[in-house]
């Protein structure tokens, strides 16, 4: 049965889509608020992006233990309700004129805590809803609709900022979170409370996920590649609005249009990710995606006023396609090989590393942008994005075509062979 006929997946997908539209509106409006209303510097913008990601470093590991102990859906609903309240304070503060950079930093930090808990739970909840055989398809569809949501969010955000101003625009995100919380209550899948062991050892449970990841023959290289990619891509994202407004001299509405167009690559990548992985090979695609598409990030620092938005859009669209293809393959693999009882802790352990480097990337982008200039910093970041694929090229994945399908299996299928 197609996932488009799978009721619970459709409910989960539609709610997440609404939330991501609101996220995109907020990711455009909040930095614009900082740059255009509060006259934020490159360092302050870098700190703003860093605080959004700092929660991954602080609570990812304990989040995995908590998620494996409780019902995932209830936690996801609570996270959305809290995020709605936090974003609403920014809208109210911007509208009344008392918002400050410290306020924005605090809200993004606590919103990040909710995001960590929600996403860890979501990655553990999805396999139970769709089953292991549909994970690649489900993750590909989610990657595609994430990009569609960003187009809608950035496009609508740019139009709303031009029509209503940034103050009222930020409030759209709060509504989206409320709608997503409501949609999760419609999922029919009956989630059993995880079995409670006779004795619980928090530290042992916490380190079990890390131990599994770093003793696995493939996952350490995957983690290193993802961490490198996230570090350097955050340097680009942290400076994006600043670069478009001050270097390319675009209006607020034009910034929204450019950011919306850049997500076309993610849509394309999400649509073809499953088919491309099957044709190229599920092992090969993991290293071929960064090395084959990562170079497009070099188009970003090439952009100049006038024709520059086209180069910027093409470079970021290529990067979006790479993200969608790589993430669908790597996340699906992690979900399939990990035993269900460890899914939350495995996910949290991986995300603790690969997302934990992101605040340092964002902060480093802001500091280097202030010291070297925005454009030289973007050259460094673009080169780092492409080089992330080398971790996987010089690994056992290069000698394999496909990754093993079985949950209990850890070996790679040699090129040209099949698992018996």
């Amino acid at each position: 049965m197609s996932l488009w006929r799978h009721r619970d997946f459709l409910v989960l997908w539609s709610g997440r889509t609404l939330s991501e539209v609101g996220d995109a509106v907020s990711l455009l409006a909040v930095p614009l608020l900082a740059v255009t209303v509060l006259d934020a510097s490159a360092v302050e913008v870098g700190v703003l992006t860093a605080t959004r990601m700092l929660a991954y470093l602080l609570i990812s590991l304990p989040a995995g233990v908590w998620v494996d102990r409780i019902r995932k859906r209830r936690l996801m609903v609570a996270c959305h309700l809290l995020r709605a309240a936090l974003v609403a304070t920014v809208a109210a503060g911007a509208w009344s004129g008392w918002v400050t950079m410290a306020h924005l930093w605090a809200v993004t930090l606590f919103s990040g805590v909710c995001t960590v808990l929600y996403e860890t739970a979501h990655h553990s909840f999805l396999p139970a809803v769709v089953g292991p055989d549909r994970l690649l398809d489900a993750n590909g569809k989610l990657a595609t609709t994430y990009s569609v949501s960003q187009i809608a969010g950035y496009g609508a955000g740019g139009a709303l900022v031009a029509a209503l101003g940034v103050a009222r625009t930020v409030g759209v995100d709060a509504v989206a979170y409320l709608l997503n919380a409501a949609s999760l209550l419609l999922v029919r899948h009956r989630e059993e409370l995880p079995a409670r062991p006779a004795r619980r050892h928090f530290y042992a449970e916490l380190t079990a996920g890390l131990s599994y990841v770093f003793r696995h023959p493939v996952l350490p290289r995957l983690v290193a590649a993802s961490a490198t990619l996230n570090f350097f891509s955050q340097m680009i994202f942290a400076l994006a609005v600043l670069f478009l407004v001050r270097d390319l001299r675009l209006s607020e509405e034009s910034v929204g249009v450019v950011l919306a167009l850049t997500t076309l690559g993610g849509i394309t990548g999400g649509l073809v990710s499953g088919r491309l992985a099957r044709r190229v090979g599920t092992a090969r695609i993991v290293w071929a995606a960064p090395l084959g598409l990562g170079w497009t990030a070099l188009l970003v620092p090439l952009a100049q006023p006038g024709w520059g938005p086209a180069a910027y859009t093409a470079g970021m669209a290529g990067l979006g396609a790479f993200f969608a293809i790589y993430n669908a393959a790597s996340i699906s693999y992690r979900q399939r090989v990990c035993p269900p009882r460890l899914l939350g802790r495995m996910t949290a352990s991986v995300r603790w590393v690969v997302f934990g480097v992101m605040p340092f990337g964002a902060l480093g982008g802001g500091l280097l942008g202030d010291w070297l200039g925005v454009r030289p910093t973007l050259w460094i970041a673009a080169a780092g994005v492409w080089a992330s694929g080398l971790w996987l090229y010089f690994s056992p994945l290069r000698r394999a075509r496909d990754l093993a399908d079985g949950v209990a299996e850890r070996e790679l299928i040699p090129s040209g062979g099949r698992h018996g």
Side-chain angles (χ1 to χ4, degrees):
M1 181 178 68
S2 168
L3 282 177
W4 295 128
R5 297 180 181 179
H6 192 296
R7 183 190 178 279
D8 279 354
F9 174 76
L10 287 177
V11 171
L12 199 63
W13 166 82
S14 60
R16 189 174 176 90
T17 301
L18 286 171
S19 174
E20 286 167 349
V21 170
D23 278 345
V25 172
S26 184
L27 287 173
L28 170 65
V30 172
L32 275 176
L33 176 67
V35 171
T36 62
V37 176
L38 301 179
D39 196 28
S41 67
V43 173
E44 288 175 321
V45 173
V47 172
L48 182 62
T49 304
T51 53
R52 184 168 58 88
M53 308 307 303
L54 187 60
Y56 288 100
L57 183 63
L58 297 178
I59 70 159
S60 281
L61 289 180
V65 178
W66 298 330
V67 166
D68 280 340
R69 287 181 174 184
I70 63 177
R71 289 187 174 93
K72 282 69 174 173
R73 183 171 60 172
R74 291 182 182 178
L75 177 60
M76 292 159 70
V77 170
C79 288
H80 279 313
L81 294 176
L82 184 54
R83 283 200 285 187
L86 288 166
V87 172
T89 68
V90 175
W95 181 73
S96 61
W98 51 260
V99 70
T100 64
M101 286 303 301
H103 180 199
L104 295 183
W105 292 334
V107 167
T108 53
L109 174 61
F110 289 111
S111 294
V113 170
C114 294
T115 299
V116 171
L117 292 170
Y118 170 81
E119 291 183 351
T120 303
H122 181 272
H123 279 284
S124 301
F125 189 56
L126 182 65
V129 172
V130 303
D133 293 337
R134 296 176 180 170
L135 274 175
L136 185 59
D137 189 21
N139 283 313
K141 285 179 168 56
L142 289 170
T144 302
T145 52
Y146 170 75
S147 298
V148 173
S149 300
Q150 286 199 312
I151 284 184
Y154 285 140
L160 287 170
V161 166
L164 305 175
V166 290
R168 294 181 178 88
T169 300
V170 176
V172 172
D173 201 14
V175 176
Y177 285 135
L178 290 175
L179 291 173
N180 196 358
S183 71
L184 286 169
L185 300 176
L186 301 176
V187 175
R188 290 177 178 171
H189 173 74
R190 185 174 181 179
E191 188 182 6
E192 299 294 335
L193 186 66
R196 182 186 178 93
R199 296 182 64 184
R200 281 180 167 172
H201 301 280
F202 187 87
Y203 179 77
E205 290 182 58
L206 185 145
T207 56
L210 279 173
S211 177
Y212 174 79
V213 169
F214 288 102
R215 295 176 67 181
H216 192 277
V218 175
L219 290 180
R221 293 280 184 159
L222 209 59
V223 168
S226 299
T228 304
L229 170 62
N230 284 348
F231 179 87
F232 287 106
S233 64
Q234 279 303 302
M235 294 175 69
I236 297 176
F237 295 141
L239 298 174
V241 172
L242 195 66
F243 181 65
L244 291 171
V245 171
R246 295 184 182 169
D247 288 68
L248 301 188
R249 298 193 285 274
L250 298 182
S251 67
E252 294 173 351
E253 188 173 7
S254 297
V255 170
V257 172
V258 168
L259 292 178
L261 291 175
T262 62
T263 60
L264 290 172
I267 295 173
T268 304
L271 288 172
V272 305
S273 60
R275 189 182 311 163
L276 191 62
R278 288 187 290 270
R279 178 168 294 184
V280 174
T282 55
R284 287 176 183 160
I285 198 64
V286 178
W287 60 262
L291 295 181
L293 290 170
W295 66 268
T296 59
L298 296 169
L299 295 174
V300 172
L302 280 174
Q304 299 288 341
W307 56 268
Y312 181 92
T313 301
M316 295 301 286
L319 194 58
F322 154 37
F323 282 156
I325 295 167
Y326 175 79
N327 285 338
S330 61
I331 291 172
S332 299
Y333 174 65
R334 296 199 315 254
Q335 289 170 328
R336 294 199 66 162
V337 300
C338 182
R341 63 182 178 80
L342 278 174
L343 260 176
R345 282 166 285 171
M346 180 278 296
T347 299
S349 297
V350 171
R351 293 167 81 87
W352 178 63
V353 179
V354 304
F355 285 174
V357 302
M358 293 172 80
F360 298 106
L363 185 58
L367 292 172
L368 282 177
D370 198 50
W371 178 42
L372 298 177
V374 171
R375 195 180 301 275
T377 301
L378 291 176
W379 277 113
I380 295 171
V385 164
W386 178 83
S388 66
L390 296 177
W391 284 103
L392 297 165
Y393 182 75
F394 294 107
S395 78
L397 289 176
R398 185 161 59 94
R399 300 190 299 272
R401 184 186 190 278
D402 290 300
L403 295 166
D405 292 331
V407 168
E409 297 159 5
R410 303 292 184 267
E411 296 179 356
L412 296 172
I413 302 175
S415 181
R418 291 185 178 275
H419 183 74

